[in-house]
Amino acid sequence: MAAPLLALYRRLQRWPAGGWLFSRAVCFKAPYFGSIAPRITLLEVGRCETRIADRRRVHNHIGTVHAIALCNLAELTAGLMTDASIPASMRWIPQGMSVRYLKRAVGPQQAVATPAAPIREATEGYALPVDVTVRDAAGDTVFTAQVDMWVSPKPARAPRS
């Protein structure tokens, strides 16, 4: 059975504006990500792709995409991939992120997130590193990140009285 987020993505992809609607729904659930106006272009087990347009709201004072906008894009992309990929009995939360700025980020940016280690069901929590690469329209890598996710079993639900 697909994760609820992945099932929603697949269901909305059947509609002409489904990708846009899914991206808006993600930003409704996690409003801060709306600051970069992301578009989720692919979501599947083990992979997520997102993009941001070249808008003034993501620029810094020198007219390039702001470093924190790239960090937001990386965290969003890694989180969506993790949510779509982990077993239903598990949950996740980001623990940290290391980043490298490799080139000035100019124009639209495309992020790809993939797990750097196998995703598994476990009885104890474990660290899951997620690799994110951000490329510009020419395909040049401008930014890389490793987002450290903590994946752990969901707590048992208390019986209803």
Side-chain angles (χ1 to χ4, degrees):
M1 181 171 136
L5 183 76
L6 184 55
L8 177 63
Y9 174 80
R10 289 175 177 164
R11 191 166 51 249
L12 290 177
Q13 291 309 299
R14 299 180 202 144
W15 299 1
W20 175 85
L21 187 59
F22 179 78
S23 299
R24 297 294 300 151
V26 166
C27 292
F28 181 77
K29 179 77 172 164
Y32 183 71
F33 290 119
S35 67
I36 60 170
R39 177 73 183 268
I40 294 90
T41 57
L42 176 77
L43 182 61
E44 60 190 28
V45 173
R47 188 177 183 90
C48 181
E49 298 180 13
T50 60
R51 66 178 170 82
I52 57 172
D54 186 21
R55 292 191 170 107
R56 184 177 187 280
R57 68 200 248 175
V58 298
H59 285 184
N60 57 25
H61 66 289
I62 60 172
T64 63
V65 178
H66 195 284
I68 297 304
L70 295 171
C71 289
N72 288 339
L73 180 62
E75 184 181 344
L76 171 68
T77 309
L80 289 170
M81 186 283 301
T82 303
D83 199 87
S85 303
I86 61 173
S89 64
M90 307 297 282
R91 62 185 180 171
W92 63 275
I93 190 164
Q95 272 193 321
M97 180 177 1
S98 57
V99 301
R100 292 185 40 93
Y101 305 100
L102 305 171
K103 181 182 170 190
R104 289 172 33 137
V106 178
Q109 305 295 311
Q110 175 85 21
V112 176
T114 56
I119 296 173
R120 58 188 166 77
E121 190 164 22
T123 58
E124 306 242 338
Y126 66 94
L128 174 66
V130 176
D131 291 331
V132 181
T133 302
V134 178
R135 292 184 174 87
D136 61 17
D140 295 334
T141 301
V142 300
F143 172 93
T144 60
Q146 185 166 80
V147 182
D148 299 320
M149 299 295 187
W150 182 250
V151 179
S152 60
K154 289 180 180 175
R157 295 185 130 211
R160 291 185 155 194
S161 45

